[in-house]
Amino acid sequence: SPLAAAVAEASDWIGEGIEAVGEGRTEDGRPCLVVFVSTLDQATRDRVPATMHGHPVVLSATDTIRTQDVRRD
């Protein structure tokens, strides 16, 4: 789908304040690309387009996302 293609392409943005990307819904229920940001400054806003593959892009504030070590005993 075009939205899945947008998510795949936007995954290249992860880093420097952008923590993750995914599919979501706008406040009025339309499918959108959600960009989870830990730094919501002008530089981050400038890196993210308003739309992608015809879908709106929504910025969502989050904390820094870190991977966890998984122990298997």
Side-chain angles (χ1 to χ4, degrees):
S1 77
L3 185 53
V7 170
E9 188 174 330
S11 66
D12 290 339
W13 302 342
I14 295 172
E16 297 180 34
I18 297 176
E19 301 296 325
V21 296
E23 295 183 26
R25 298 270 176 188
T26 61
E27 290 183 7
D28 63 0
R30 295 178 295 143
C32 71
L33 172 67
V34 181
V35 179
F36 297 93
V37 296
S38 58
T39 306
L40 192 54
D41 58 11
Q42 193 59 47
T44 302
R45 290 177 196 272
D46 290 345
R47 291 177 49 208
V48 179
T51 62
M52 189 160 189
H53 294 280
H55 293 285
V57 176
V58 174
L59 297 178
S60 180
T62 187
D63 290 328
T64 301
I65 298 173
R66 295 184 180 94
T67 59
Q68 292 182 328
D69 291 330
V70 177
R71 295 182 70 186
R72 301 192 182 191
D73 296 324

